[in-house]
Amino acid sequence: MHSFLLNIKKSVCLTGLLVFILLLFPLFSALDAEEGWSKQQKVLMTNLGGMAAITAWGVANWDYFENDPEKGSEGWFSKDSKEGGADKCAHFYFSYTLSHILSNTFDYWNYSSKKAALLGSLSSFAMMSYMEFGDSFSNYGFSHEDFLMNLFGCAAGYLLYRNPNLSKKIDFRVEYIPSFDQTDFFSDYDNMKFLMAVKFDGFELSRSTYAEYLELH
């Protein structure tokens, strides 16, 4: 019976992740093929599509709109804070990554690199702020710490997208090996490791030496 339930959880987990991907990322291809829309309309529809995907995932996995709105402080990285602060790293990383995905997409839609970076970061912040708004109606509640980490992640995304030389030196990453014992990948913090990598090959002095293969995490 336990094995059967575990297989059900795995199926739900993988299906949920697939639905999230199907709702968000193919939207870019569909909008790119839509010749009758301006690039401004495509940006708007990208934001609306992203919020729709967040709503679907939140209702399915995060109890969105089941409670009255609440807000409060979760703390930062102390032992008695929620998840030990790992969720704050997740907010930063996802905001940072989403800003890069959106900036690159808008760049492809013939925005200037500067405008694409700005719109990508603002769109990421809008989506992540909407996610925090949804959290306020769930068992999580609105957290100003999460909100600030979203802001910092989007700012880092803008900074590194606009400065390729800095991006060659610094990278933000996540290592994740799922245990498949829960349905929500995005809050499986026990199996995640968040890293900032300083890449030696981004520095002129390290190039053409063995040091270029080194990173400081």
Side-chain angles (χ1 to χ4, degrees), residues 23 26 84 109 126 131 152 185 216:
L23 283 171
W109 288 344
M131 181 183 295
F152 296 154
F185 275 105
L216 178 63

Side-chain angles (χ1 to χ4, degrees), residues 125-198:
F125 184 63
M127 293 183 198
M128 296 301 292
S129 297
Y130 174 76
M131 181 183 295
E132 200 59 36
F133 171 77
D135 282 350
S136 69
F137 291 90
S138 72
N139 292 326
Y140 295 99
F142 179 90
S143 165
H144 67 267
E145 292 93 349
D146 290 347
F147 183 83
L148 287 174
M149 291 304 282
N150 293 340
L151 177 61
F152 296 154
C154 293
Y158 175 82
L159 179 64
L160 294 186
Y161 194 87
R162 287 289 296 141
N163 296 274
N165 287 333
L166 182 60
S167 183
K168 291 178 181 178
K169 298 177 176 68
I170 298 175
D171 194 17
F172 296 101
R173 303 172 185 170
V174 61
E175 294 180 5
Y176 180 45
I177 302 177
S179 59
F180 298 107
D181 58 354
Q182 66 178 61
T183 58
D184 180 19
F185 275 105
F186 296 102
S187 59
D188 188 13
Y189 303 120
D190 286 340
N191 296 303
M192 293 182 185
K193 181 185 292 184
F194 296 94
L195 305 170
M196 184 181 79
V198 178

Side-chain angles (χ1 to χ4, degrees), residues 92-93 95-101 103 116-118 120-121 124 150-163 167 172:
F92 177 93
Y93 179 78
S95 299
Y96 165 80
T97 303
L98 184 58
S99 73
H100 270 272
I101 293 172
S103 296
L118 179 61
S121 298
S124 176
N150 293 340
L151 177 61
F152 296 154
C154 293
Y158 175 82
L159 179 64
L160 294 186
Y161 194 87
R162 287 289 296 141
N163 296 274
S167 183
F172 296 101

Side-chain angles (χ1 to χ4, degrees), residues 5-7 9 11 13 20 22 28 43-44 52 57 82 101 103-104 113 129 147 155 193-194:
L5 291 176
L6 183 59
N7 287 334
K9 287 184 176 181
S11 298
C13 186
F20 184 84
L22 288 174
F28 299 149
V43 170
L44 175 61
W57 188 266
K82 181 182 177 183
I101 293 172
S103 296
N104 186 69
S113 179
S129 297
F147 183 83
K193 181 185 292 184
F194 296 94

